[in-house]
Amino acid sequence: MSNSYNRFSEVYDELMTDIPYDRYVEWVMTHAPANEFKRLLDIGCGTGTLSMMFAQSGYNVSGVDLSEDMLSIAQERASQMGMHIPFFAMSMDELEGFDGLDVAVIPIDSINYVTDEASVKRTLEKVYEALRPGGQLFFDVHSLFKMDEIFLEGPFTYDEDGVNYIWHTEEGEYPHSVYHYMTFFVETESGLYERFDEEHFQRTFDAEQYVAWLREIGFTLVEVSADFEDEAPHEESERIFFRAVK
């Protein structure tokens, strides 16, 4: 992944319109209602869409993200909505300054940008340390099927509301990893289109590996589901969800 999303932060929300954020909030609230689990940390919060939805649902929310460009948009948006949500720039595998959390979420495959096995486990350890006893972690990842097959069916194209892109993918050097090469053409106020390029790298692991890490770290209850449904994953599931209790 590039060091910051730069121009990508400006079109990020446009590209995420198909994500059912409300179902993500519902999933968390079902298992950790805001009246019992007040303090929530949104890890990999991006432009703050979920952070604000959690805040509106009654949680006391903080957010962290590696991209300062994303956080600037999140902070401006929260201010415009009259919300006080503190946002912090940091890598999730170097999470610090949080303790006694009731809930931590790492949403929308954010942890797939952590591509080193040791760093993934360190991320989960950092979250475990930040949670109170009984606190819960919620996160999702791309499945092996999505990483190994669906992503490699590209190129993909997008043309909507002044944003166009061509998205090429290439198999990475690690198992179940993918390079994303995106060329954007974004309409400016003058009516001309500006081009910029993004390169992202993601890696995922088998669901059983994530479960093994969670249990090794000390989480006592681990639940696995798929595709925003309360069902076990199958071989063509695209997104795998994990809930773990400290």
Side-chain angles (χ1 to χ4, degrees), residues 99-124:
D99 58 63
L101 294 173
D102 298 308
V103 179
V105 297
I106 314 176
I108 319 301
D109 56 82
S110 294
I111 200 169
N112 287 143
Y113 284 101
V114 182
T115 57
D116 175 72
E117 289 188 44
S119 296
V120 175
K121 185 177 179 182
R122 185 164 59 250
T123 296
L124 300 176

Side-chain angles (χ1 to χ4, degrees), residues 21 24-25 39-55 60-66 71 74 85-88 90 92 95 98 101 103-108 110 138:
Y21 288 112
Y24 215 105
V25 174
R39 295 186 60 209
L40 182 148
L41 180 63
D42 185 1
I43 302 169
C45 63
T47 57
T49 298
L50 262 179
S51 297
M52 281 168 273
M53 291 179 70
F54 281 124
N60 182 359
V61 180
S62 300
V64 301
D65 200 278
L66 184 61
L71 293 178
I85 301 177
F87 293 103
F88 305 92
M90 67 178 71
M92 65 179 71
L95 189 69
F98 299 95
L101 294 173
V103 179
V105 297
I106 314 176
I108 319 301
S110 294
F138 299 82

Side-chain angles (χ1 to χ4, degrees), residues 21 45 53 84 106 112 117 150 185 195 214 231 239:
Y21 288 112
C45 63
M53 291 179 70
H84 175 67
I106 314 176
N112 287 143
E117 289 188 44
I150 292 181
F185 299 90
R195 170 180 172 165
L214 290 166
E231 299 177 358
R239 190 177 291 272

Side-chain angles (χ1 to χ4, degrees), residues 4-234:
S4 79
Y5 278 76
N6 301 322
R7 290 299 311 280
F8 185 63
S9 62
E10 300 173 21
V11 298
Y12 177 81
D13 291 323
E14 179 72 28
L15 305 182
M16 300 293 282
T17 54
D18 62 334
I19 298 293
Y21 288 112
D22 56 338
R23 294 174 69 180
Y24 215 105
V25 174
E26 181 182 353
W27 175 47
V28 173
M29 291 192 69
T30 297
H31 299 285
N35 61 333
E36 300 176 30
F37 295 80
K38 196 69 175 176
R39 295 186 60 209
L40 182 148
L41 180 63
D42 185 1
I43 302 169
C45 63
T47 57
T49 298
L50 262 179
S51 297
M52 281 168 273
M53 291 179 70
F54 281 124
Q56 289 173 325
S57 299
Y59 294 95
N60 182 359
V61 180
S62 300
V64 301
D65 200 278
L66 184 61
S67 168
E68 294 187 6
D69 295 312
M70 291 281 197
L71 293 178
S72 293
I73 293 174
Q75 192 67 71
E76 181 179 359
R77 178 178 295 163
S79 297
Q80 290 174 349
M81 296 181 67
M83 295 181 175
H84 175 67
I85 301 177
F87 293 103
F88 305 92
M90 67 178 71
S91 175
M92 65 179 71
D93 64 334
E94 297 178 352
L95 189 69
E96 61 181 15
F98 299 95
D99 58 63
L101 294 173
D102 298 308
V103 179
V105 297
I106 314 176
I108 319 301
D109 56 82
S110 294
I111 200 169
N112 287 143
Y113 284 101
V114 182
T115 57
D116 175 72
E117 289 188 44
S119 296
V120 175
K121 185 177 179 182
R122 185 164 59 250
T123 296
L124 300 176
E125 289 172 341
K126 291 286 189 180
V127 173
Y128 183 86
E129 293 169 1
L131 288 169
R132 66 162 172 83
Q136 300 187 46
L137 165 63
F138 299 82
F139 70 99
D140 67 278
V141 301
H142 291 311
S143 68
L144 302 188
F145 173 70
K146 188 171 186 179
M147 196 70 79
D148 297 343
E149 298 191 39
I150 292 181
F151 275 143
L152 298 182
E153 292 176 354
F156 308 98
T157 60
Y158 179 92
D159 181 3
E160 197 76 36
D161 297 329
V163 177
N164 301 265
Y165 73 61
I166 303 171
W167 171 13
H168 294 274
T169 55
E170 180 180 306
E171 185 176 359
E173 62 268 32
Y174 299 116
H176 319 305
S177 67
V178 170
Y179 283 99
H180 306 278
Y181 302 101
M182 290 169 280
T183 299
F184 289 87
F185 299 90
V186 179
E187 188 174 11
T188 65
E189 293 182 358
S190 66
L192 299 176
Y193 280 79
E194 180 181 356
R195 170 180 172 165
F196 63 94
D197 299 277
E198 283 284 329
E199 178 182 330
H200 294 201
F201 180 57
Q202 288 188 304
R203 182 186 185 186
T204 199
F205 298 89
D206 188 276
E208 293 181 358
Q209 179 62 80
Y210 288 107
V211 171
W213 282 328
L214 290 166
R215 294 194 182 283
E216 182 180 342
I217 289 166
F219 287 97
T220 56
L221 172 65
V222 180
E223 293 182 352
V224 184
S225 58
D227 295 332
F228 292 98
E229 302 291 342
D230 189 17
E231 299 177 358
H234 54 79

